Amino acid sequence: MLAQFTQWMPDSLSTLAFWSLVFVSYLTSAITAALGIGGGVTLLAIMANLLPTSAVIPLHGVIQFGSNVGRLSILFRFVDWRLVLWFSIGSLIGSVVGAGASTQMPAAGLQIAMGAFILYTAWFPPIKLPSGKKFLSLLGVVTSFISMIVGGIAPLVFAAIKPMFAERTALVGTMAALISGQQLLKVLFFGFFGFVFTDWYLMIALMLITGYLGTLTGRLFLERFTAEQVQPVLKVVLTVMAARLLYLGLFG
């Protein structure tokens, strides 16, 4: 059965890497569902070490879009759509500029940028960005630009908008809407700049399916662990992955 899938796999990806990513999508979604942290950037770090550099950010964007749309469908009625509108205006501008910059950067530059970002995410708190309604468009510009180059910027957005919400359901629902829109723009612009998503459709489909299953079963398998117990392990994994990317970018 597995052999029948091989003919549909991208030539640039080994069979082991392909199925590893399908499983990792499940695992990282389970981590996020159980602990509320760590899954997105861990997925980014592993994808960056297994995929061709030029494919990491576009494909990570597709998978994260699917994950956030699932949450958005559940919390749709709690979303503050006025905030989404202003944030999306900025995201459009940041995506245009960021996509152009990302497609022009050499592979080594992208590896160094992703490695440094992952390392920072593992060991330091989110960068302090402006918060408040009047800064939403600026927040969209800055985070969309960063996302086009290094990927997982959800912690930056979350930290900036958290003070604006008293209820967690409204916060999580609005966050899902913001990131869904941002990732959709990412996918559209990378497609416009020439990335061929159809070459990866089987991997995308399977990762979306396993990611959804991970969301459903995460608490069942990981409920015995706390965030404090898992964070040290994630830090080690992220540090190793980031160090490899930095080495490849600098010396590879």
Side-chain angles (χ1 to χ4, degrees):
M1 178 65 73
L2 294 181
Q4 295 178 345
F5 282 101
T6 304
Q7 60 180 322
W8 303 106
M9 296 180 189
D11 295 335
S12 57
L13 196 64
S14 69
T15 302
L16 177 60
F18 180 93
W19 291 109
S20 295
L21 287 170
V22 172
F23 172 72
V24 164
S25 180
Y26 171 85
L27 182 62
T28 53
S29 291
I31 291 172
T32 300
L35 306 175
I37 59 162
V41 70
T42 303
L43 178 62
L44 172 66
I46 295 174
M47 291 179 75
N49 279 272
L50 294 179
L51 291 172
T53 304
S54 60
V56 175
I57 303 302
L59 294 179
H60 183 262
V62 172
I63 304 304
Q64 290 299 292
F65 172 72
S67 298
N68 282 280
V69 165
R71 281 189 290 275
L72 177 59
S73 66
I74 298 172
L75 299 170
F76 189 86
R77 64 192 181 96
F78 298 103
V79 174
D80 187 330
W81 291 105
R82 290 175 299 176
L83 301 188
V84 174
L85 173 62
W86 287 109
F87 182 86
S88 298
I89 292 173
S91 293
L92 178 61
I93 299 171
S95 296
V96 173
V97 180
S102 179
T103 54
Q104 295 300 315
M105 286 182 67
L110 289 172
Q111 288 171 327
I112 292 171
M114 284 188 287
F117 179 78
I118 292 168
L119 198 61
Y120 181 91
T121 302
W123 292 100
F124 298 95
I127 302 169
K128 184 66 174 179
L129 293 176
S131 60
K133 294 182 180 180
K134 64 181 180 180
F135 291 110
L136 274 173
S137 292
L138 176 60
L139 180 66
V141 172
V142 174
T143 57
S144 291
F145 177 83
I146 297 173
S147 178
M148 284 290 184
I149 298 173
V150 298
I153 45 68
L156 305 181
V157 180
F158 185 85
I161 71 169
K162 185 178 179 180
M164 301 168 61
F165 292 89
E167 295 185 1
R168 182 167 179 79
T169 50
L171 170 61
V172 175
T174 303
M175 180 71 183
L178 297 179
I179 301 301
S180 295
Q182 199 170 61
Q183 299 297 352
L184 178 60
L185 287 172
K186 179 188 295 186
V187 171
L188 292 175
F189 278 108
F190 272 112
F192 177 79
F193 278 94
F195 186 82
V196 184
F197 287 94
T198 53
D199 289 348
W200 302 84
Y201 78 93
L202 178 60
M203 190 190 79
I204 291 171
L206 291 177
M207 288 183 71
L208 287 174
I209 292 171
T210 55
Y212 180 69
L213 293 175
T215 298
L216 293 179
T217 61
R219 294 188 181 279
L220 177 65
F221 288 103
L222 296 173
E223 60 185 4
R224 68 186 64 184
F225 299 104
T226 65
E228 289 72 23
Q229 291 173 314
V230 174
Q231 276 184 323
V233 178
L234 292 180
K235 283 186 176 183
V236 171
V237 173
L238 293 173
T239 300
V240 171
M241 295 291 179
R244 183 175 183 271
L245 287 172
L246 289 171
Y247 176 82
L248 291 174
L250 293 170
F251 308 109

